[in-house]
Amino acid sequence: MKSRFHGELKEIKKDVLKMGDLARGMLKNSIAALMKQDNELADEVLSHKEEIMDMNDEIEHRCLQAISMYQPMARDMRVIGACLKLITYLTRIGRYGKDIATVAKELSGKPHLAKLVSIPHMAELVDGMISDGLTAFEKKDISLLENFGERDDDIDALRYSIFRECLTYMMEDSKNITRCMHYAMIARYLERCADHACKMAEKITYAITGERVEIK
Amino acid sequence: MAAKIMVKGLSLWYDGKQALKDITMDVPEKKVTAIIGPSGCGKSTFIRCLNRMNDIVNGCRVEGEVTIDGESIYRNNADVVKLRKTVGMVFQKPNPFPFSIYDNVAYGCRVAGINNKKTLKEVVERSLKKAALYEEVCDRLRDSAMSLSGGQQQRLCMARALAIEPEIILMDEPCSALDPIATAKIEGLIRELREEYTVVIVTHNMQQAARVSDYTAYLYIGKLIEYGITRQIFENPKEESTEKYITGRFG
């Protein structure tokens, strides 16, 4: 009976990681679509919207079913609890990817105001955090999560720097306001993704060690 | 936590085979303490030590100390009859006497020499109420206890244990022979009993231990592996062996 549960738990974990790859893909491709002004790629991101929602519902259903059938305890219970939380964070990250793709399409008509440097850099850092979180969960290795607080601070600083840069362009010419607002929103979305990565790291740490931590 | 029962270095042998190994733990007063562990780990043996039930087993030898309210129950001049009045017990299978419901509950008092009808009536009513059975049987107290359902019989056994006004109640898998509805009633009762009594319960059902107990002790091959607040044991056990057992990786 319990070995069936552990088999199911393994499958659920695998699917959470698969969902993580999908969310990461949506975020990365949305930034790529923004950079290359590639509407096709943006559409591809948008096409995954339903898929990530369906994965969320399917994994949630299986977690609840496993809880009702096997009443897991200790680490098993913590892992199931973490899966339920991780899928929420991953869905949100995927949705931010979708939002960025929508903005990318809107901005695709005209060239960017300047070469985008901070946004892709920020996206790379965010993706690194999500990726490290998922690897930590997969390999039960919390050492990958150690400096998440500082990494999140860097991302917050980048968001602020993008915001200031946008302000300059907006003050220069009011025609830039719409575009710059979009850039600032993208930076905000990426910052929120990093916050979700931090929450993921907290849940993963709890699942692996049983200790509750707060990443500030 | 104020300790009602203190167990210190308790070891037990059946015909030279050691069943309990150097167990030391304090059982807190007016709390529910669950004893869990795989079959044969010594759970039942352990709680039977708390009212000296193992005395009647041939070839059984006990070492170490068990004190209730600071008094050793294994001292030479210990009054075992008084001990069993202080420590009531409910077993795995309901075992009512083949008497009426009333006589089952009144039995302990009669043995203790109480024969006043009014007093007995009061004790029976109070005990059945405490065991959440009174409403179901108040109009048929003279019927045979055997006519009750399994769950009712088990609550009758609890009422019988409560009638002698014990301070401690030991329960050896009290729900393992009952259906889920009867089990839920007994579990509700256990939670209520903790207001007045110190309860020690042996259970195979870990969810039950998690539901009803305040503290949980995990025994493995006669040794106390881990003992702590129930939530901690089931959410984040410190010992690898506890983790493996409660997550069903063995046992």
Side-chain angles (χ1 to χ4, degrees):
Chain A
M1 179 98 158
K2 279 289 175 180
S3 63
R4 269 175 62 192
F5 166 74
H6 291 124
E8 174 63 6
L9 189 59
K10 223 172 167 181
E11 290 302 312
I12 291 173
K13 259 185 90 173
K14 237 191 241 170
D15 282 351
V16 171
L17 294 169
K18 222 189 267 174
M19 188 178 166
D21 288 341
L22 178 63
R24 278 180 67 202
M26 286 174 77
L27 194 64
K28 275 167 82 172
N29 285 339
S30 70
I31 296 294
L34 174 80
M35 301 294 294
K36 294 188 227 158
Q37 303 200 299
D38 182 343
N39 277 352
E40 246 177 66
L41 190 56
D43 282 332
E44 205 231 299
V45 173
L46 296 175
S47 73
H48 290 302
K49 186 185 136 197
E50 299 296 328
E51 192 184 340
I52 201 156
M53 294 296 289
D54 289 347
M55 278 187 103
N56 175 77
D57 293 348
E58 169 66 17
I59 296 171
E60 182 187 288
H61 170 73
R62 282 170 56 197
C63 287
L64 294 177
Q65 201 172 35
I67 291 169
S68 69
M69 282 170 70
Y70 303 103
Q71 291 106 37
M73 290 285 190
R75 182 178 292 162
D76 293 344
M77 175 171 63
R78 300 198 306 266
V79 169
I80 285 264
C83 287
L84 280 167
K85 297 295 281 188
L86 292 188
I87 56 173
T88 305
Y89 300 134
L90 292 171
T91 305
R92 290 191 180 152
I93 290 169
R95 275 208 323 235
Y96 282 126
K98 180 212 81 180
D99 292 340
I100 295 171
T102 309
V103 174
K105 280 181 78 176
E106 269 184 51
L107 295 179
S108 67
K110 281 189 199 164
H112 291 301
L113 286 175
K115 189 172 188 288
L116 298 184
V117 178
S118 298
I119 287 180
H121 177 53
M122 202 177 164
E124 210 173 293
L125 296 181
V126 171
D127 182 60
M129 288 176 77
I130 304 167
S131 164
D132 282 349
L134 293 168
T135 309
F137 187 53
E138 184 187 6
K139 307 220 186 300
K140 300 177 192 157
D141 175 10
I142 57 157
S143 68
L144 292 164
L145 312 173
E146 268 166 14
N147 52 355
F148 262 45
E150 290 122 68
R151 290 165 82 174
D152 189 47
D153 288 346
D154 290 347
I155 285 162
D156 287 350
L158 275 169
R159 186 199 63 81
Y160 188 63
S161 130
I162 291 168
F163 172 68
R164 292 298 299 262
E165 203 180 330
C166 286
L167 272 186
T168 317
Y169 283 111
M170 289 193 276
M171 282 192 290
E172 240 174 51
D173 185 349
S174 59
K175 287 197 194 96
N176 290 336
I177 290 179
T178 312
R179 284 198 150 248
C180 285
M181 284 301 290
H182 282 313
Y183 295 135
M185 283 309 288
I186 290 171
R188 169 75 181 145
Y189 294 155
L190 289 172
E191 186 225 325
R192 288 299 298 145
C193 288
D195 292 343
H196 288 312
C198 288
K199 294 309 284 180
M200 281 170 58
E202 288 178 5
K203 301 300 165 195
I204 292 162
T205 305
Y206 180 63
I208 296 170
T209 65
E211 303 293 328
R212 290 201 184 271
V213 292
E214 193 188 353
I215 295 170
K216 286 181 182 160
Chain B
M1 73 181 186
K4 180 76 178 171
I5 309 169
M6 289 168 91
V7 180
K8 215 170 151 189
L10 182 71
S11 294
L12 181 143
W13 290 261
Y14 290 125
D15 288 327
K17 192 178 171 293
Q18 193 165 5
L20 295 178
K21 294 171 187 165
D22 195 24
I23 292 179
T24 297
M25 66 184 270
D26 290 351
V27 177
E29 187 170 22
K30 292 185 183 171
K31 297 277 179 208
V32 179
T33 302
I35 314 288
I36 61 166
S39 298
C41 72
K43 302 183 293 285
S44 297
T45 303
F46 174 72
I47 66 161
R48 289 159 70 95
C49 284
L50 305 181
N51 68 347
R52 290 187 53 173
M53 288 265 295
N54 289 316
D55 284 14
I56 50 172
V57 178
N58 285 335
C60 174
R61 181 164 68 85
V62 180
E63 261 180 28
E65 198 171 45
V66 179
T67 61
I68 293 177
D69 291 331
E71 269 190 44
S72 169
I73 63 168
Y74 281 98
R75 68 184 190 277
N76 284 338
N77 59 347
D79 182 348
V80 180
V81 175
K82 185 175 160 244
L83 170 71
R84 304 242 168 91
K85 267 181 79 177
T86 312
V87 187
M89 188 150 182
V90 177
F91 297 88
Q92 189 170 0
K93 272 180 81 178
N95 55 354
F97 300 132
F99 313 146
S100 70
I101 295 168
Y102 184 96
D103 289 341
N104 261 277
V105 184
Y107 186 82
C109 292
R110 287 190 177 128
V111 169
I114 301 166
N115 285 309
N116 181 298
K117 274 190 180 170
K118 195 171 161 246
T119 313
L120 282 178
K121 194 173 167 247
E122 277 168 13
V123 168
V124 169
E125 195 177 316
R126 190 177 61 232
S127 308
L128 285 170
K129 276 182 181 164
K130 274 189 188 168
L133 185 62
Y134 187 72
E135 297 298 320
E136 292 166 50
V137 300
C138 58
D139 53 353
R140 50 180 173 133
L141 292 175
R142 296 292 168 188
D143 284 6
S144 165
M146 298 307 176
S147 68
L148 298 174
S149 71
Q152 287 172 326
Q153 286 186 13
Q154 192 63 309
R155 277 179 285 147
L156 178 69
C157 293
M158 286 200 184
R160 188 176 62 190
L162 295 172
I164 52 164
E165 297 187 341
E167 291 165 28
I168 297 163
I169 302 168
L170 308 177
M171 298 184 183
D172 194 351
E173 301 203 36
C175 301
S176 61
L178 305 181
D179 65 45
I181 294 169
T183 298
K185 279 193 179 163
I186 301 278
E187 287 181 5
L189 184 57
I190 294 169
R191 282 192 291 269
E192 277 171 31
L193 289 176
R194 108 178 92 191
E195 301 286 319
E196 285 181 65
Y197 305 93
T198 301
V199 179
V200 185
I201 176 170
V202 162
T203 177
H204 254 122
N205 182 332
M206 279 173 288
Q207 282 71 33
Q208 180 171 69
R211 283 192 297 265
V212 303
S213 70
D214 303 292
Y215 293 85
T216 297
Y218 168 60
L219 259 60
Y220 180 58
I221 46 173
K223 285 187 211 153
L224 177 66
I225 305 293
E226 193 166 352
Y227 178 42
I229 293 168
T230 296
R231 187 180 153 182
Q232 177 254 313
I233 298 280
F234 288 109
E235 230 179 274
N236 189 15
K238 297 278 170 268
E239 300 296 326
E240 187 72 23
S241 167
T242 318
E243 170 93 31
K244 280 188 176 163
Y245 176 67
I246 63 175
T247 56
R249 285 178 169 84
F250 80 89

